Amino acid sequence: MVQYVGVEHVIRLVASTGLPEVFTGLAGYIEEDFRRWADFEKAPRIASHSAHGVIELMPASDGRLYGFKYVNGHPRNTRSGLQTVTAFGVLADVATGYPQFLSEMTLTTALRTAATSALAARYLARRDAKVMALIGLGAQSEFQALAFKALLGLSRLRVYDIDRLATGKFLANLADQGFDITVASSSDEAVLGADIVTTVTADKQKATILSDNMVGAGVHINAVGGDCPGKTELQRELLLRADVFVEYPEQTRIEGEIQQMPADFPVTELWQVITGQAPGRRSDRQITVFDSVGFAIEDFSALRYLRDRVQGTDCYSEIDLLAEPDDPRDLFGLLRPALGRSVAALADIGA
Amino acid sequence: MVQYVGVEHVIRLVASTGLPEVFTGLAGYIEEDFRRWADFEKAPRIASHSAHGVIELMPASDGRLYGFKYVNGHPRNTRSGLQTVTAFGVLADVATGYPQFLSEMTLTTALRTAATSALAARYLARRDAKVMALIGLGAQSEFQALAFKALLGLSRLRVYDIDRLATGKFLANLADQGFDITVASSSDEAVLGADIVTTVTADKQKATILSDNMVGAGVHINAVGGDCPGKTELQRELLLRADVFVEYPEQTRIEGEIQQMPADFPVTELWQVITGQAPGRRSDRQITVFDSVGFAIEDFSALRYLRDRVQGTDCYSEIDLLAEPDDPRDLFGLLRPALGRSVAALADIGA
């Protein structure tokens, strides 16, 4: 049998574990996997593009476990009341090739994206960071706010969205979560006095959510929204002034903010910072950018976390995705009980 | 919700539909998709190799539906009582990117492989073919025999396997299915007088199951077992004497019998025969070879068949693989009920 974790299971897991603990747990698994970066077989995602959006498969393997995520991106889905992004993922045993664990990953991707952002900020933001600006209050925004609170203790937010309904939703969702929230009337106003700026807008275009003159010395920018070709949030000049950190350069140069820059634009890989092979923040005046696009290893970590966490709980069920005949060469034996005697055989015995 | 078809569901479907009808149904869907070959986005499978075996993702899309199959190949699995090959697959809506249908594909792959073989033979074998030799009586053998019976009315079999246990299993499984079976004491003996020769041995090596001198004029060879690099069943000289038909040349030249031949070895694509763009069998003396390796479109067809067949039956269930918040931008709202009031909020209200 294959263990199955659906949307209801994840909700139950969050309820029984506590959301801050889920964020710190996820960040721990992601950090652990980033520390052993060289162990992984890495590949860019495999995309199938259409006029409506993209469907992607993102595989990763550490030689013992193989994982992949199915994920789509369909910007116009919201018009018909659907999610822009849905996802699910699988873990399999490399030694036998058997799938072991299947999970929803729409909620889980939102959780791991925020956990990765907060993990990166722990290495890249100023240690005395207290205020975060959050621009874009869509589906990922509350996850970002709560992950930064869980991992960095950050509770002062300055938020902005062009859509008042999104702002209202955000405020309602976080009303009782211990935040001190200032609603700004523009992106410019939101970033005033912020130590960390998170951009997580949804428009699929080359936008300028942050221009060079909006960002002062010492700020850490957590750039989440620019995550596919043709979709960016930061002005080019700002990237030239900053030090840019990425997950997997081969992918980020296609999908991230640095798609605006030449192919040799210098970046530092986050795993190198986490392992101490490269410096993270070097001064209180440096501007750092985490150019986040989401990488398969983060999904691998998230699946590992879920699998480990649900054991011994009621947060999973089992599905018969695997055929398990007693004799492996007798796959057909599984169908035997389903077969009637054939007409010819019945004729033979005079029936 | 996503529709889920597990192993038990497939068994139930076979029981209620009848195995011959499943084979003809599957072959019909495969034929239909081969007829519209140009409509498909095709790609070689994406493989992750290890010392133990391989895990592959096989995507295909016709612009309306997107499908992929997860499949492993681990030759040593049988030593520990496990299947060499397990698989599952998914259909998704290209317009929204939403997965719609998830199915086991271990049994289903066995069914579609046999259905494809029989479909190819309908175009390539002599019309008066009455006797099939079947060499290799492993997990796929009964499926092959029954698919040829369902699609070509072939009931006379000459069978051989080096393993007597495999032979016993095969005979027991097909005892009451209306076959006239001769057990041969060698491959040479099995092919005597056969109009169709199906090779479906399991050893992962360059074997010579069929040598040139064993095959007479007019025979159709259904070469199923040679399906990955380093695994072949036919002698090179035999391929030079025959006309070779393949599913997808880019993949077959790597995985099929023709991996033994130069890159420009002439082959005919099966879809061209099915659409009438290329001749199949041209004379009663010609030797034809279907160099079968299994292609993603066959899995796509099989998933479509299953999906269509299970509607309105008890041969599927539903799983909550999709997060479906009322407001698509309020993904976090799904977690709201799972969150307690935070300590800070409780302190604020004097609790």
Side-chain angles (χ1 to χ4, degrees):
Chain A
M1 300 296 272
V2 171
Q3 294 186 336
Y4 169 69
V5 172
V7 172
E8 278 305 318
H9 292 124
V10 171
I11 293 170
R12 204 180 296 164
L13 183 75
V14 168
S16 61
T17 307
L19 195 45
E21 292 74 14
V22 170
F23 280 125
T24 52
L26 273 171
Y29 273 67
I30 294 166
E31 189 168 19
E32 188 180 310
D33 287 339
F34 272 55
R35 278 191 194 284
R36 56 194 188 99
W37 194 257
D39 292 353
F40 283 90
E41 181 183 77
K42 292 170 280 285
R45 49 186 100 189
I46 303 123
S48 176
H49 294 276
S50 69
H52 313 281
V54 63
I55 296 176
E56 300 175 327
L57 300 173
M58 301 167 70
S61 168
D62 69 0
R64 286 174 296 126
L65 270 179
Y66 169 94
F68 80 87
K69 180 166 87 166
Y70 168 106
V71 60
N72 75 298
H74 284 65
R76 281 171 290 180
N77 267 5
T78 43
R79 293 186 201 167
S80 38
L82 298 176
Q83 294 282 303
T84 304
V85 173
T86 64
F88 67 90
V90 170
L91 283 180
D93 177 25
V94 169
T96 64
Y98 270 46
Q100 296 178 326
F101 184 79
L102 168 69
S103 177
E104 87 82 38
M105 289 193 77
T106 308
L107 278 171
T108 300
T109 297
L111 292 165
R112 73 84 162 131
T113 299
T116 306
S117 282
L119 174 66
R122 220 160 51 180
Y123 286 93
L124 300 176
R126 290 201 327 274
R127 294 200 168 230
D128 63 351
K130 286 196 174 52
V131 180
M132 178 159 85
L134 187 48
I135 302 171
L137 301 174
Q140 170 66 201
S141 59
E142 297 94 343
F143 295 90
Q144 287 284 333
L146 285 159
F148 275 79
K149 187 157 189 288
L151 268 80
L152 286 86
L154 236 132
S155 61
R156 290 174 58 195
L157 301 178
R158 299 178 63 82
V159 305
Y160 176 68
D161 196 291
I162 47 168
D163 179 352
R164 287 188 185 192
L165 289 176
T167 308
K169 172 216 64 155
F170 178 86
L171 293 174
N173 275 332
L174 296 189
D176 53 3
Q177 296 299 309
F179 287 100
D180 168 1
I181 303 175
T182 303
V183 177
S185 56
S186 67
S187 297
D188 292 71
E189 191 186 313
V191 303
L192 286 177
D195 307 305
I196 297 175
V197 178
T198 290
T199 56
V200 60
T201 59
D203 258 8
K204 188 171 178 174
Q205 58 173 332
K206 291 200 193 289
T208 303
I209 306 301
L210 284 187
S211 57
D212 185 33
N213 63 354
M214 286 165 70
V215 179
V219 167
H220 172 61
I221 300 169
N222 172 38
V224 179
D227 63 353
C228 66
K231 183 165 186 288
T232 58
E233 294 178 319
L234 309 188
Q235 197 179 35
R236 201 172 173 281
E237 288 69 24
L238 180 53
L239 293 171
L240 288 168
R241 229 172 105 212
D243 289 302
V244 176
F245 298 82
V246 303
E247 291 141 312
Y248 184 56
E250 288 84 338
Q251 186 179 314
T252 313
R253 290 191 192 280
I254 297 166
E255 301 174 0
E257 295 298 331
I258 57 169
Q259 66 186 269
Q260 307 177 65
M261 313 309 275
D264 62 350
F265 180 75
V267 296
T268 304
E269 295 182 53
L270 183 59
W271 71 269
Q272 295 180 308
V273 177
I274 289 175
T275 57
Q277 293 178 42
R281 171 167 292 275
R282 287 172 323 225
S283 87
D284 281 355
R285 307 218 20 100
Q286 184 187 12
I287 297 173
T288 50
V289 172
F290 176 48
D291 187 359
S292 165
V293 297
F295 185 54
I297 291 179
E298 293 150 30
D299 300 309
F300 182 92
S301 313
L303 285 166
R304 280 207 307 120
Y305 170 78
L306 279 182
R307 185 201 57 180
D308 291 355
R309 274 291 303 138
V310 302
Q311 303 307 314
T313 74
D314 61 351
C315 299
Y316 74 96
S317 58
E318 294 193 322
I319 57 175
D320 64 338
L321 201 56
L322 290 170
E324 297 178 289
D326 296 333
D327 173 357
R329 288 166 311 182
D330 190 13
L331 181 62
F332 185 79
L334 291 174
L335 291 180
R336 282 291 310 154
L339 303 182
R341 283 170 172 270
S342 74
V343 174
L346 290 172
D348 286 349
I349 58 172
Chain B
M1 300 296 275
V2 171
Q3 294 186 335
Y4 169 69
V5 171
V7 172
E8 279 305 318
H9 292 122
V10 171
I11 294 171
R12 203 180 296 164
L13 182 74
V14 169
S16 60
T17 307
L19 195 45
E21 292 74 14
V22 170
F23 280 125
T24 51
L26 273 171
Y29 274 68
I30 295 166
E31 190 169 18
E32 187 180 312
D33 286 339
F34 272 56
R35 277 191 196 284
R36 57 192 188 101
W37 194 257
D39 291 353
F40 283 90
E41 179 184 78
K42 292 171 281 284
R45 48 186 101 190
I46 303 124
S48 174
H49 293 276
S50 69
H52 313 280
V54 63
I55 296 176
E56 300 175 328
L57 299 173
M58 300 167 71
S61 168
D62 69 1
R64 284 174 296 126
L65 270 180
Y66 169 94
F68 79 88
K69 178 165 85 165
Y70 167 106
V71 60
N72 75 297
H74 284 65
R76 281 172 290 182
N77 267 7
T78 43
R79 294 186 200 168
S80 38
L82 299 176
Q83 294 283 302
T84 304
V85 173
T86 62
F88 66 91
V90 170
L91 284 180
D93 177 25
V94 169
T96 63
Y98 270 45
Q100 294 178 327
F101 184 77
L102 168 69
S103 176
E104 87 81 38
M105 288 195 80
T106 307
L107 278 171
T108 300
T109 297
L111 292 164
R112 73 85 162 131
T113 299
T116 305
S117 281
L119 174 66
R122 220 159 52 180
Y123 286 94
L124 300 176
R126 292 200 324 275
R127 293 204 169 226
D128 63 350
K130 287 196 174 50
V131 181
M132 177 159 85
L134 186 47
I135 302 172
L137 301 175
Q140 169 67 202
S141 58
E142 297 93 344
F143 295 90
Q144 288 283 333
L146 286 159
F148 276 79
K149 186 158 188 289
L151 269 80
L152 286 88
L154 236 133
S155 60
R156 291 172 58 194
L157 301 178
R158 299 179 62 82
V159 306
Y160 177 67
D161 195 293
I162 48 169
D163 180 353
R164 288 186 185 194
L165 289 176
T167 308
K169 172 217 66 158
F170 179 85
L171 294 175
N173 274 333
L174 297 189
D176 55 2
Q177 296 300 308
F179 287 100
D180 169 2
I181 303 177
T182 303
V183 177
S185 56
S186 67
S187 298
D188 291 71
E189 193 185 313
V191 304
L192 286 177
D195 307 306
I196 296 174
V197 179
T198 290
T199 57
V200 59
T201 60
D203 257 11
K204 188 170 178 173
Q205 57 174 332
K206 291 199 193 290
T208 303
I209 306 302
L210 284 187
S211 58
D212 186 32
N213 63 353
M214 288 164 68
V215 179
V219 167
H220 172 62
I221 300 169
N222 172 38
V224 179
D227 63 353
C228 65
K231 185 166 185 288
T232 58
E233 295 178 320
L234 308 189
Q235 197 179 34
R236 199 171 174 282
E237 288 69 25
L238 180 54
L239 294 170
L240 288 168
R241 230 173 104 212
D243 289 303
V244 177
F245 298 81
V246 304
E247 291 142 311
Y248 184 57
E250 289 85 337
Q251 187 178 313
T252 314
R253 290 191 192 278
I254 296 167
E255 301 174 0
E257 295 299 331
I258 57 169
Q259 66 186 271
Q260 308 176 66
M261 311 311 274
D264 61 352
F265 181 75
V267 296
T268 305
E269 296 182 53
L270 183 59
W271 71 269
Q272 295 179 308
V273 177
I274 289 176
T275 56
Q277 293 179 41
R281 173 168 291 275
R282 286 172 324 222
S283 88
D284 282 354
R285 306 222 16 105
Q286 184 186 13
I287 297 174
T288 49
V289 172
F290 176 47
D291 187 359
S292 163
V293 296
F295 186 52
I297 291 178
E298 293 150 31
D299 300 310
F300 182 92
S301 312
L303 285 166
R304 280 207 306 119
Y305 170 77
L306 279 182
R307 184 202 56 181
D308 291 355
R309 274 291 302 136
V310 301
Q311 304 307 316
T313 74
D314 61 351
C315 299
Y316 73 95
S317 58
E318 294 193 320
I319 57 174
D320 64 337
L321 202 55
L322 290 170
E324 298 178 288
D326 296 334
D327 173 357
R329 288 166 310 181
D330 190 13
L331 182 61
F332 184 80
L334 291 174
L335 290 180
R336 282 291 310 155
L339 302 182
R341 284 168 172 272
S342 75
V343 175
L346 291 172
D348 285 352
I349 58 172

